[in-house]
Amino acid sequence: MTTTTNDTLIAADSDRGIDIERVFDAPLARVWAAHSRIEQLVQWWGRGNTLDVERWEFRRGGHWRFVEHAEGEAHGFEGRFREIEPERRIVWSFEWDGMPAHVCIDEITFTDLGDGRTKVGTHTQFHTPDERDGMLQSGMESGINDGYRALDALLARG
């Protein structure tokens, strides 16, 4: 399965992964800050919805947990940071309360395109193809696109 919506490419690989790619009209340092500084992250990660940050330990081994509030419901997400290479990549575990104990690993990479734009790529690896397919069927695509539209708005504000 490969879909492209609002310039976001989302593709299931042949095994247990999902690849996501998006180019943002902002320099690398700005896109990195929007992913690493919690005061900026909360403005887009929750798709514009209220986001409670229960934990944010942005360091190797650190724990993060967010609860997004939307349409009268609460949706929790959490994980731990495996690797952080400033302005290059973040590797973290990711678990959604809607699929408890189905932990995946996200590797988020940042590429300076040299023209004031930055490419963000995410490779998500699941334990099984069924877990990957469950996430794809969960509404993940619309959530990613909503979040990236909110990130576009944040980046445009400067």
Side-chain angles (χ1 to χ4, degrees):
M1 173 190 144
T2 301
T3 60
T4 303
T5 309
N6 297 326
D7 301 321
T8 302
L9 175 67
I10 301 172
D13 69 18
S14 61
D15 188 20
R16 302 174 290 136
I18 298 172
D19 291 306
I20 303 162
E21 187 175 289
R22 178 74 141 64
V23 174
F24 293 94
D25 289 322
L28 174 62
R30 184 77 184 91
V31 176
W32 173 261
H35 282 79
S36 60
R37 294 186 181 158
I38 195 61
E39 67 277 2
Q40 292 184 37
L41 192 77
V42 297
Q43 296 180 54
W44 69 269
W45 203 90
R47 304 175 295 165
N49 297 314
T50 301
L51 189 69
D52 292 335
V53 177
E54 293 183 355
R55 206 170 260 236
W56 180 253
E57 301 166 349
F58 191 67
R59 60 175 168 73
R60 188 175 189 274
H63 183 195
W64 64 273
R65 179 164 172 80
F66 306 148
V67 178
E68 178 186 355
H69 300 274
E71 300 174 9
E73 296 183 9
H75 304 277
F77 304 87
E78 72 181 293
R80 296 219 177 242
F81 292 101
R82 285 185 164 196
E83 298 176 40
I84 298 171
E85 295 177 50
E87 296 190 0
R88 195 158 166 255
R89 78 185 187 131
I90 299 169
V91 181
W92 68 10
S93 61
F94 180 95
E95 182 177 358
W96 171 47
D97 289 354
M99 289 178 64
H102 294 273
V103 179
C104 58
I105 303 300
D106 288 344
E107 178 181 13
I108 307 162
T109 58
F110 301 82
T111 305
D112 183 348
L113 298 178
D115 59 359
R117 296 179 312 140
T118 302
K119 180 172 68 173
V120 176
T122 302
H123 177 74
T124 300
Q125 189 72 33
F126 295 85
H127 288 285
T128 68
D130 287 340
E131 288 181 11
R132 179 208 52 209
D133 295 346
M135 186 62 80
L136 285 168
Q137 295 164 7
S138 74
M140 176 196 100
E141 181 179 344
S142 65
I144 288 169
N145 282 307
D146 289 346
Y148 279 168
R149 279 190 291 276
L151 178 52
D152 282 332
L154 172 66
L155 295 169
R157 288 193 301 269

